[in-house]
Amino acid sequence: MTTYRMSPASRRQVIVLLLAALLIWAFAIWSFASTLRISYHPLQFWPSLQQSLAQGLGVGQVVPALLMLVLMIATPLLLWALLTEYAAAYTPGPAGLGFRSVGVHLAYPWSAVRALRPGEGDADEPFDELLLDGDPAASIANPLVRFLYRQATGPGRLPIYPGIERRDDLIAEIQRHLASPAPASA
């Protein structure tokens, strides 16, 4: 069985995106503290936050602080999605499609795959996804990894990332399995 992974060029691109996301996250953390005039030192955090709130916060502080708070929460989710894409590995076989990534090892039987739907990508970066019956993520034992996986892929879907090496071969093999009738069980 052949395993399909990200191409080296796509891996480099994801690394650049990871570094950019980390820079945005660091900026958000720094900007949040400087906007509210708080200290992240464990012994000074609550007193500095209470002092800042006691002095009163203007719109010029609240709006940027809320924006930075959203970035501080959303960026780790983006980082996980990028790591999931970076480590994605698809292994089609007679029984179904195996998918592995960071902390995720799933097997999708062909009978659970409803369709292969082209995504809304452009010609340079095609994006397809498998529509699945049920919730395969429920088999992920770690609740944090299960939550992050669902956030990265969505419910009942498995993306076929654009940067997969020999992606056309993978798509053709998936289509071949979806077109063939399921073997009768004895």
Side-chain angles (χ1 to χ4, degrees):
M1 290 187 284
T2 304
T3 298
Y4 299 88
R5 292 184 171 83
M6 297 293 285
S7 69
S10 295
R11 285 180 179 241
R12 285 190 296 273
Q13 184 179 15
V14 170
I15 288 172
V16 169
L17 292 173
L18 281 166
L19 292 174
L22 283 171
L23 287 174
I24 290 170
W25 194 41
F27 172 75
I29 291 170
W30 171 80
S31 183
F32 183 78
S34 68
T35 300
L36 294 180
R37 297 181 309 272
I38 60 174
S39 170
Y40 285 130
H41 187 278
L43 298 176
Q44 296 173 353
F45 178 75
W46 288 113
S48 66
L49 180 61
Q50 289 171 341
Q51 180 183 9
S52 182
L53 292 174
Q55 291 175 351
L57 299 175
V59 173
Q61 290 175 294
V62 172
V63 172
L66 287 175
L67 178 62
M68 294 305 121
L69 182 62
V70 168
L71 284 173
M72 288 167 47
I73 294 169
T75 303
L77 297 175
L78 171 64
L79 291 169
W80 177 265
L82 289 170
L83 286 172
T84 300
E85 182 175 354
Y86 180 86
Y90 304 88
T91 308
L97 179 67
F99 176 75
R100 284 183 325 211
S101 191
V102 180
V104 177
H105 303 281
L106 298 173
Y108 303 97
W110 294 119
S111 61
V113 179
R114 287 185 303 181
L116 175 65
R117 180 175 71 177
E120 298 176 9
D122 57 20
D124 294 334
E125 296 248 344
F127 183 82
D128 297 300
E129 60 186 2
L130 291 176
L131 301 178
L132 308 165
D133 287 331
D135 183 17
S139 66
I140 299 173
N142 185 320
L144 177 61
V145 173
R146 183 173 47 245
F147 168 77
L148 292 171
Y149 176 77
R150 284 180 179 150
Q151 293 300 311
T153 62
R157 295 182 307 179
L158 176 66
I160 308 294
Y161 295 110
I164 297 295
E165 204 164 28
R166 296 181 19 242
R167 187 175 184 283
D168 293 337
D169 295 344
L170 173 61
I171 296 292
E173 191 163 347
I174 291 171
Q175 288 173 334
R176 183 175 54 81
H177 281 286
L178 292 179
S180 65
S185 55

